[in-house]
Amino acid sequence: MRVLGIESSCDDTGVAIYDSNAGLLSQALHSQIVVHQEYGGVVPELASRDHIKWVVSLVKKVLQEANLAVNDVDAIAYTAGPGLIGALLVGACFAKSFAWALKKPAIAIHHLEAHILAAKLDNPHLDYPFLALLVSGGHTQLILARALNDYQLLGDTLDDAVGEAFDKTAKLMGLPYPGGAALSQLADDCPEALKNKLPPFPRPMTQKPGLNFSFSGLKTHALVLWHKIKERERAPSMIAHAFQEAIVETLVMKCKRALEQTHVNNLVVAGGVGANRLLRSSITAMGVKMGKTICFPRHEYCTDNGAMVAYAGCLHYLDGRDDEEQSIVVKPRWALSK
Ligand code: KG4
Ligand code: ZN
């Protein structure tokens, strides 16, 4: 069976077609970075309008690339939440109307579940139960995935999400939105001799038991330091390096703790920050030490994309689920665990 997936929860319009036998047939993505860059963050109304502008042409493109007619698609999956209400409504209205016109089922997908399941796109044999570290612009969570549709939230951020902390720290040093990847590049490029010149950033909430996170203090720490040392040569690189080290070490410590507590053997790292090089190498090293299997979606499946929605839709449809509701419902806030 073939599922058309539509992602529009934030600032990327992602569309893809997944075939349960042949795998991913085609995918297309339109990023809104240029639309939001001059405002330094996502402007929800502009995001909705841009999704409207792009969704139909992207659907045509993926159908054409997969050499399919509209009726060759068996179901239409769409991100129903969490996310920006207007942006979600664009994808949901399009998907439900299209499904209704074609007399095919529509399947509402949870954005965070799609991020987690993206790891299975390249690793279909990844077995439940597994642990997921979900690190994106809006979320930082440790989740125990017991089965499709059965998730337990083990840890969450009390304030900023990790991607948000990256973006805000990048912004205070004058990097353009969204600065996460650029900040990480600055950190990776920090000359060896300057790497440990700054006093280390704190590793928040690692002294206390538990699996929750807090990253807003690191951002404030970076701000104070920036005002102190910004005239120094390579100051952004030094701050980026110390900041990234603190974030990554904190995430690794919490993952280790969660693996020890749950005794599961597989860890998935999902969401946009999963593209971070230091995070990938540090978690991989931790996995080797602990004898655990670590699974990263490839970079293009870490950030928002249509493939993860089409794939999640396919798994749910094969599991017997479809939207019975005719009405169009989106959930800007939507907990993944029951
Ligand atoms: O999952 P995603 O595409 O969108 C959300 O659902 O939030 O994640 C986007 C986030 C942004 O905050 C972006 O700056 C961050 O992921 N990000 C990175 C890197 N690449 C993307 N953060 C750190 N290092 C990276 N290499
Ligand atoms: Zn996302």
Side-chain angles (χ1 to χ4, degrees):
M1 68 160 311
R2 296 184 199 105
V3 178
L4 172 71
I6 295 167
E7 157 62 33
S8 71
S9 65
C10 189
D11 59 347
D12 290 303
T13 321
V15 179
I17 300 172
Y18 187 85
D19 182 309
S20 54
N21 294 317
L24 193 69
L25 299 183
S26 55
Q27 61 171 327
L29 186 78
H30 171 71
S31 157
Q32 299 182 353
I33 286 180
V34 284
V35 175
H36 303 292
Q37 209 152 40
E38 66 176 292
Y39 304 97
V42 179
V43 183
E45 179 60 24
L46 297 183
S48 314
R49 291 177 191 207
D50 208 59
H51 287 306
I52 292 174
K53 213 159 126 186
W54 284 90
V55 69
V56 174
S57 59
L58 293 182
V59 169
K60 282 185 181 160
K61 191 170 169 205
V62 293
L63 284 167
Q64 203 174 22
E65 263 178 42
N67 218 359
L68 296 175
V70 284
N71 264 307
D72 296 330
V73 166
D74 299 299
I76 297 160
Y78 62 97
T79 302
L84 301 171
I85 189 164
L88 290 167
L89 273 169
V90 175
C93 288
F94 174 81
K96 295 275 290 198
S97 315
F98 198 39
W100 184 80
L102 295 172
K103 299 190 172 50
K104 311 270 178 173
I107 306 164
I109 296 297
H110 193 294
H111 181 75
L112 304 187
E113 184 186 32
H115 268 304
I116 293 170
L117 293 175
K120 280 167 81 68
L121 267 166
D122 287 329
N123 300 278
H125 302 300
L126 171 70
D127 272 338
Y128 296 106
F130 62 82
L131 198 69
L133 172 70
L134 180 70
V135 276
S136 72
H139 294 87
T140 304
Q141 298 188 335
L142 269 164
I143 295 162
L144 177 62
R146 288 187 286 233
L148 186 70
N149 235 357
D150 183 1
Y151 302 96
Q152 185 188 350
L153 181 65
L154 303 177
D156 203 348
T157 179
L158 305 182
D159 40 56
D160 288 354
V162 67
E164 187 182 0
F166 261 98
D167 293 343
K168 287 178 175 169
T169 302
K171 188 175 176 183
L172 71 89
M173 296 198 292
L175 299 178
Y177 163 86
L183 187 85
S184 153
Q185 190 63 52
L186 269 181
D188 294 349
D189 293 344
C190 181
E192 210 51 50
L194 296 180
K195 272 187 181 163
N196 296 312
K197 285 272 184 260
L198 298 177
F201 278 50
R203 275 50 175 162
M205 299 193 65
T206 52
Q207 302 304 326
K208 292 188 206 160
L211 296 170
N212 285 335
F213 304 93
S214 164
F215 293 112
S216 68
L218 287 184
K219 174 195 68 195
T220 312
H221 193 92
L223 178 67
V224 172
L225 202 56
W226 173 243
H227 286 305
K228 248 195 226 160
I229 69 158
K230 64 179 168 196
E231 305 307 334
R232 269 167 71 179
E233 205 188 335
R234 314 276 318 235
S237 246
M238 288 198 291
I239 292 180
H241 177 261
F243 172 84
Q244 179 171 267
E245 290 269 312
I247 295 250
V248 168
E249 201 179 301
T250 303
L251 292 173
V252 169
M253 284 162 87
K254 295 285 165 133
C255 286
K256 182 167 180 281
R257 204 177 277 178
L259 285 166
E260 284 164 356
Q261 278 179 21
T262 55
H263 303 289
V264 299
N265 289 322
N266 300 312
L267 169 70
V268 161
V269 181
V273 186
N276 183 279
R277 265 192 297 271
L278 183 67
L279 183 65
R280 289 173 96 95
S281 61
S282 305
I283 292 216
T284 303
M286 179 203 70
V288 171
K289 244 192 206 159
M290 295 181 77
K292 307 283 186 186
T293 305
I294 313 293
C295 214
F296 293 98
R298 68 174 86 157
H299 286 226
E300 73 210 77
Y301 299 155
C302 278
T303 45
D304 290 350
N305 65 86
M308 66 184 190
V309 179
Y311 179 64
C314 191
L315 295 184
H316 277 290
Y317 190 63
L318 292 173
D319 200 44
R321 234 196 77 205
D322 79 70
D323 279 14
E324 286 116 27
E325 277 273 341
Q326 286 292 316
S327 55
I328 297 167
V329 180
V330 293
K331 299 178 190 168
R333 288 176 163 269
W334 184 6
L336 182 58
S337 55
K338 287 171 192 149

